Amino acid sequence: MEFDGTRLRAERLRKLRELREQGVNPYPYKYTRSHRNQELQEKYKDLANDTETEDVVSVCGRVMNERNTWMFVDLFDESGKIQLFCHKANLPEDALKRLRLLDKGDFIGATGTIRRTKQGEISVKVTKYEVLAKSLQPLPDSWDGFKDVEARYRQRYVDMIMHPSVRENFRKRALAIRYIRNFLDERGCLEIETPVLQVEAGGADARPFVTHHNALDMELYLRIATELHLKRLIIGGFERVYEIGRIFRNEGLSTRHNPEFTMMELYWAYGDYNELMDLTEELVRGLAVHLTGSTKIKYQNTTIDFGQKWRRLSMVQAIKDATGLDVKAIKEYEEMRDTALKMGIELKHEDSRGAIINAIFESKCEAALIQPTFIIDYPVEISPLTKSHRRNRDEVERFEIFVFGRELANGYSELTDPEEQRTRLEIQALKKAAGNEDAMPLDLDFIMAMEYGMPPTMGIGIGIDRLVMLLTDSASIRDVIAFPTMKPLHKDRDDEEHTHK
RNA sequence: GCGUCCGUAGCUCAGCCGGUAGAGCACUCGGCUUUUAACCGAUUGGUCGCGUGUUCGAGUCACGCCGGACGCACCA
């Protein structure tokens, strides 16, 4: 990050100095405006061209453009643009000269009367103005824009200044999260926060981040899911609990993965996965309408319709539809393995029968699931926290939602039998001991909690970032995370500086 | 982690087979004044991501490193 030595910055520092020499505080404390810019655009939208009013207003915001040597100024606040008209007839001599000490990027406040120019631009005919913040850094050229993707992520604030649509994504993200909270709260759910720092990270198949607690002198893990604690709350007597919180998984980065992301997990007593599918469908459909005004959305030039009843399809049936293969007819593990290998699917040595079926599904079916689809009834081996299917012991009552070929949510009838839970987690622990870093640890306290008795419960996790991606037509998860994880620049130098301290 | 591509002025980009680093915009100065990227004129601005090598000579070629985009893998 370059902070000095540039001409453009030196020029702005000179202007800053001159402002101070003239007795102007370039960083004042407060400004009281009468209107937001967009309010004025709406209030005067019917004002005829080349018409003046007596209405006095005060506006403020960031200067983004200037024409005719500061006679016309484009001022942006969060709501939008208003043009300032700074004519010499209306401004005192010193204020007129001082315009030359302004730069694009400065914040100013201005007072004047409303007029509409011949060209139809609603403007404030400025009689006085004040500097609210002098900007020292030059903004990217507004015509060419700010296209360097890396720079846009590293300096997201500049990206937001230059592209109101970037801010719009984060506004929609905030609206989405608020909508989900309202939806759940209206149905008697309670949001309760669970620990981020954990002695063992469970509840999902993922590698955790490790950190260190100094006073206890012990390693702690950042959570990879909220599941096991939210279930303890169900056991504790809450009937409907959820948490919208940050999850951390120590995995690769991609357009669909950020090491920290936001997940909504909900646990609801006395319901099963059938009821949960209905509830989830209602939530997502309502959210789509709330954010976009329609159940039909455009994502990457594909129309996705959340409106009609979503298809529900078992994993076994999905595989049969896509490949003709009936995995249920294959009983022997070796035969299953050979079949998958012949289909060109890469398998790890320790893959179980269920994991192979899932691998076939992922490689042959997922990508084609464009419209919202519930894939239901997963193999038991890959679902250690899910209740066995009421009609089939090889499967569990689990669904995942797929949209645009991507997994959006994962829900199930929760396993509530403590002895079976212990057995399932012991198998996971064996896998972990055998070197599978993604396998779950044996959380004895969780099993103890379940032994006190856990009611039938339905539970779901929804990836908020991916949901917002869909609803904002964002190709990359970085477009819906304000400050995505980036490698630092000059890593070697930074390391050296730290070791010298 | 692997593969492909990318990194040149504040921004957006040229730069051919290796031969004195360029343009537009921005900035500064002057002129003009009811614009819609205002216009006219002049000036200014560079660690060519970093390093090593080849060469009389490297933005350009080779190798290594740093950072990024996309794809694959892992996963949500």
Side-chain angles (χ1 to χ4, degrees), chain A residues 22 88 90-99 129:
Chain A
Q22 292 179 23
K88 57 186 173 188
N90 313 310
L91 277 166
E93 179 87 25
D94 59 336
L96 193 69
K97 271 190 181 166
R98 202 175 291 137
L99 284 169
Y129 70 90

Side-chain angles (χ1 to χ4, degrees), chain A residues 345-487:
Chain A
I345 291 159
E346 282 185 39
L347 298 174
K348 284 176 266 172
H349 253 300
E350 66 274 21
D351 278 349
S352 61
R353 181 177 186 278
I356 294 170
I357 293 172
N358 187 54
I360 295 172
F361 169 76
E362 286 183 354
S363 102
K364 300 295 175 190
C365 309
E366 258 189 34
L369 300 173
I370 303 302
Q371 297 302 321
T373 306
F374 290 105
I375 295 298
I376 65 173
D377 300 345
Y378 277 60
V380 64
E381 299 96 320
I382 58 164
S383 314
L385 302 170
T386 312
K387 195 169 268 182
S388 295
H389 198 283
R390 60 196 79 181
R391 288 188 298 275
N392 179 354
R393 299 295 297 180
D394 290 341
E395 292 174 353
V396 293
E397 296 199 350
R398 172 178 175 186
F399 67 80
E400 290 192 359
I401 299 171
F402 289 88
V403 179
F404 201 72
R406 298 174 186 169
E407 185 188 339
L408 194 67
N410 180 13
Y412 32 88
S413 300
E414 301 295 340
L415 178 54
T416 54
D417 175 341
E419 293 188 284
E420 186 170 358
Q421 184 66 83
R422 179 188 296 272
T423 307
R424 300 258 201 104
L425 287 179
E426 277 169 355
I427 294 169
Q428 288 289 313
L430 285 175
K431 280 190 190 170
K432 200 175 182 69
N436 183 344
E437 290 185 79
D438 289 348
M440 282 187 213
L442 182 59
D443 187 336
L444 291 172
D445 180 74
F446 173 64
I447 293 166
M448 163 88 86
M450 197 175 282
E451 289 195 352
Y452 279 88
M454 176 170 168
T457 301
M458 61 189 193
I460 188 170
I462 300 178
I464 297 296
D465 313 84
R466 289 189 178 175
L467 184 58
V468 175
M469 280 172 73
L470 279 174
L471 297 173
T472 56
D473 195 13
S474 298
S476 170
I477 198 167
R478 297 183 195 93
D479 297 327
V480 299
I481 292 176
F483 302 99
T485 304
M486 301 283 282
K487 273 195 189 181

Side-chain angles (χ1 to χ4, degrees), chain A residues 13 23 38 64 66 107 137 177 179 199 220 227 241 261 314 380 409 425 461:
Chain A
L13 280 170
Q38 189 57 38
M64 289 303 289
E66 152 271 325
F107 279 90
Q137 291 287 347
I177 290 173
Y179 180 89
V199 175
L220 288 172
E227 177 157 0
V241 292
F261 63 100
S314 75
V380 64
L425 287 179

Side-chain angles (χ1 to χ4, degrees), chain A residues 31 57-60 75 84 108-112 124 126 128-130:
Chain A
Y31 187 80
V57 300
S58 292
V59 293
C60 54
L75 189 73
L84 303 181
I108 65 172
T111 300
V124 177
V126 177
K128 64 175 179 182
Y129 70 90
E130 54 192 279

Side-chain angles (χ1 to χ4, degrees), chain A residues 262-398:
Chain A
T262 301
M263 182 125 86
M264 191 286 286
E265 283 196 50
L266 164 71
Y267 294 86
W268 180 306
Y270 308 115
D272 67 1
Y273 79 145
N274 293 310
E275 183 182 348
L276 184 55
M277 283 188 268
D278 295 338
L279 183 75
T280 307
E281 207 174 311
E282 187 187 349
L283 169 64
V284 174
R285 184 177 296 134
L287 178 60
V289 172
H290 182 65
L291 281 200
T292 70
S294 167
T295 59
K296 287 187 183 157
I297 64 156
K298 259 273 200 275
Y299 186 73
Q300 310 291 291
N301 292 319
T302 300
T303 300
I304 291 169
D305 187 1
F306 291 107
Q308 44 195 284
K309 186 84 179 158
W310 303 358
R311 201 150 64 109
R312 297 182 187 188
L313 187 65
S314 75
M315 181 178 281
V316 169
Q317 189 62 44
I319 292 172
K320 203 184 284 181
D321 290 353
T323 68
L325 179 70
D326 181 5
V327 292
K328 276 199 170 165
I330 304 174
K331 299 293 181 196
E332 297 299 321
Y333 172 76
E334 289 302 330
E335 189 187 351
M336 183 70 77
R337 188 175 177 82
D338 290 346
T339 306
L341 289 172
K342 272 182 208 147
M343 295 170 91
I345 291 159
E346 282 185 39
L347 298 174
K348 284 176 266 172
H349 253 300
E350 66 274 21
D351 278 349
S352 61
R353 181 177 186 278
I356 294 170
I357 293 172
N358 187 54
I360 295 172
F361 169 76
E362 286 183 354
S363 102
K364 300 295 175 190
C365 309
E366 258 189 34
L369 300 173
I370 303 302
Q371 297 302 321
T373 306
F374 290 105
I375 295 298
I376 65 173
D377 300 345
Y378 277 60
V380 64
E381 299 96 320
I382 58 164
S383 314
L385 302 170
T386 312
K387 195 169 268 182
S388 295
H389 198 283
R390 60 196 79 181
R391 288 188 298 275
N392 179 354
R393 299 295 297 180
D394 290 341
E395 292 174 353
V396 293
E397 296 199 350
R398 172 178 175 186

